[in-house]
Amino acid sequence: MPATPGTVLLSGIVGSTAYGFAHAGSDVDRLGLFAVPTEELHGLDRPAESHVTTAPDVTLHEAAKWCRLALSCNPTASELVWLPEDLYESVTPLGRELIGIRSTFLSGPAVRKAYLGYAEQQFRKLLARDTTDPATRRRAAKHARHLVRLVEQAVRLHETGQNVIRLPDPEHIRDLGERIADHPATAESLLAGAAERLARPGVLPAAPDRRPAEDWLRRVRAAHYGPLRERPPATGAPGESTGGALAPTG
């Protein structure tokens, strides 16, 4: 993990490696969340809520931002708490608590909006690519794989309440992605079928339960609270205080 002004609470390997798509030479993507010292939230300037690096590919979100993303069922952020155990690289007690309340972040409308929204975004990218070029053809296949993955994950979440990250048949999705990359219009029926299944009654609630996230975040803030550090006076500030009283003028 890159240096970050805070404590990493939970991190792991995500992306193609987690899904089962990785091959020799694939990048390894890491995702995590961290807590800043609570005192840093009290000043005029807010600390950075995300830290992103490449080589290595690491994304870290501050605890509050990650919670907001998860409550909207952001597919990328949410998968952090649904990883197979062997893909976690750092798990603190607070990170383990977060995994324990993962289902409370879910809601039917948010899953439909977020997952189908991302899948449709991949579809638009497919339609815009010139697949006669080998490099763009490879990118198109990647977009197609993720489109299929997002659709399958959305339907499974809607119907079972479980987010399966390590896909049961990644080769099937890889093969389907290759076919869609060559004929993008074939993805339209896949998207339409998913939308129809997601419109039926499912197991997810109409809205997430925000209370466990709020309680967890307050425990994070309490755990990372410390005495305020001494700071030098601002340049040009008087050496003595008048207690805030204004001296008479005139």
Side-chain angles (χ1 to χ4, degrees):
M1 285 291 162
T4 181
T7 302
V8 173
L9 304 177
L10 185 66
S11 66
I13 296 173
V14 295
S16 296
T17 302
Y19 310 140
F21 295 153
H23 54 79
S26 291
D27 294 332
V28 177
D29 299 311
R30 289 177 165 87
L31 176 66
L33 63 88
F34 67 97
V36 296
T38 302
E39 66 176 81
E40 298 297 327
L41 301 171
H42 296 164
L44 290 173
D45 298 319
R46 304 287 292 183
E49 288 197 303
S50 295
H51 295 270
V52 181
T53 66
T54 56
D57 294 316
V58 179
T59 297
L60 295 172
H61 295 304
E62 209 282 319
K65 179 176 181 178
W66 185 90
C67 285
R68 294 195 299 271
L69 291 170
L71 287 167
S72 69
C73 293
N74 176 282
T76 305
S78 296
E79 67 186 53
L80 178 61
V81 290
W82 293 90
L83 292 176
E85 197 64 31
D86 61 295
L87 292 180
Y88 285 113
E89 296 184 314
S90 178
V91 184
T92 65
L94 282 165
R96 184 63 65 189
E97 284 185 35
L98 191 63
I99 294 171
I101 62 170
R102 62 191 181 185
S103 294
T104 64
F105 289 89
L106 299 173
S107 64
V111 164
R112 287 193 294 274
K113 180 179 179 180
Y115 280 78
L116 280 189
Y118 271 66
E120 289 167 356
Q121 186 180 83
Q122 300 299 317
F123 182 57
R124 289 191 293 272
K125 289 179 180 179
L126 276 172
L127 295 177
R129 289 199 177 275
D130 175 13
T131 55
T132 59
D133 177 73
T136 56
R137 170 62 177 71
R138 286 192 295 272
R139 294 294 298 173
K142 182 176 181 179
H143 293 319
R145 285 195 298 274
H146 287 298
L147 184 156
V148 179
R149 170 187 64 82
L150 287 161
V151 163
E152 288 200 0
Q153 286 179 325
V155 170
R156 188 177 292 111
L157 269 168
H158 179 74
E159 295 179 348
T160 71
Q162 298 296 307
N163 191 357
V164 177
I165 303 300
R166 182 172 282 152
L167 302 170
D169 192 356
E171 285 306 313
H172 164 72
I173 294 179
R174 183 183 294 278
D175 292 342
L176 183 55
E178 292 294 327
R179 295 198 296 272
I180 291 174
D182 289 327
H183 305 285
T186 59
E188 291 180 351
S189 60
L190 188 68
L191 290 167
E196 181 182 348
R197 291 177 70 175
L198 292 171
R200 301 171 189 166
V203 302
L204 299 179
D209 183 355
R210 296 171 59 92
R211 291 170 299 177
E214 181 73 27
D215 292 344
W216 177 83
L217 189 57
R218 289 180 182 275
R219 289 195 296 277
V220 169
R221 299 303 183 222
H224 293 84
Y225 177 77
L228 290 175
R229 296 190 299 269
E230 289 293 332
R231 289 181 172 83
T235 303
E240 295 182 0
S241 171
T242 63
L246 293 177
T249 60

